[in-house]
């Protein structure tokens, strides 16, 4: 599993290292699938900050496919899970949204383009 710790500077701060680019690409690649993005969104927006797989599985694909996509999100370091009885509960890895937001936040106001 990849770590979602805020590893990377804002894209406008400096060039990413190979390792930073690989980590970041894995996170965004996992979210590049519409079903995965919907599942991630369902977990992230759930009122309790975690969601039972039974509450988020309705994304238009079969249960085995949901499980596959959730596994990919976990492998990318985006989700954490915990089994409770027969159900699995998912929550967003605590630092992932901050890390992704930081990466995309400009460090300074962009320069105005000359006409």
């Amino acid at each position: 599993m990849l770590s979602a710790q805020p590893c990377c500077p804002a894209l406008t701060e400096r060039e990413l290292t190979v390792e930073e680019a690989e980590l970041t690409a894995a996170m965004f690649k996992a979210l590049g699938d519409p079903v995965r993005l919907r599942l991630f969104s369902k977990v992230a927006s759930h009122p309790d900050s975690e969601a039972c797989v039974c509450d988020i599985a309705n994304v238009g694909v079969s249960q085995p496919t949901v499980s596959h996509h959730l596994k990919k999100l976990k492998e990318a370091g985006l989700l954490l899970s915990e089994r409770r009885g027969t159900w699995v509960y998912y929550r967003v890895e605590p630092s992932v949204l901050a890390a992704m937001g930081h990466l995309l936040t400009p460090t300074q106001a962009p320069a105005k383009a000359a006409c």
Side-chain angles (χ1 to χ4, degrees):
M1 179 170 80
L2 298 171
S3 169
Q5 297 300 317
C7 70
C8 307
L11 291 175
T12 57
E13 188 176 313
R14 67 166 169 79
E15 187 177 315
L16 297 177
T17 66
V18 171
E19 294 80 18
E20 291 168 338
E22 288 174 355
L23 174 65
T24 303
M27 288 192 292
F28 283 109
K29 181 178 179 182
L31 292 174
D33 180 282
V35 172
R36 288 185 202 143
L37 186 56
R38 286 191 64 211
L39 288 167
F40 185 78
S41 173
K42 283 178 171 255
V43 173
S45 65
H46 201 272
D48 299 326
S49 299
E50 69 176 4
C52 174
V53 69
C54 59
D55 294 329
I56 61 171
N58 187 16
V59 291
V61 297
S62 68
Q63 178 57 46
T65 303
V66 168
S67 295
H68 166 77
H69 286 303
L70 289 169
K71 178 182 174 187
K72 292 294 184 183
L73 290 168
K74 281 182 58 180
E75 288 173 349
L78 298 171
L79 293 180
L80 301 173
S81 67
E82 178 183 343
R83 179 170 292 282
R84 297 182 197 156
T86 58
W87 297 110
V88 177
Y89 287 78
Y90 291 89
R91 63 187 174 282
V92 174
E93 205 293 335
S95 66
V96 75
L97 293 176
M100 295 174 96
H102 175 74
L103 179 76
L104 298 174
T105 302
T107 54
Q108 52 186 304
K112 293 185 180 180
C115 295

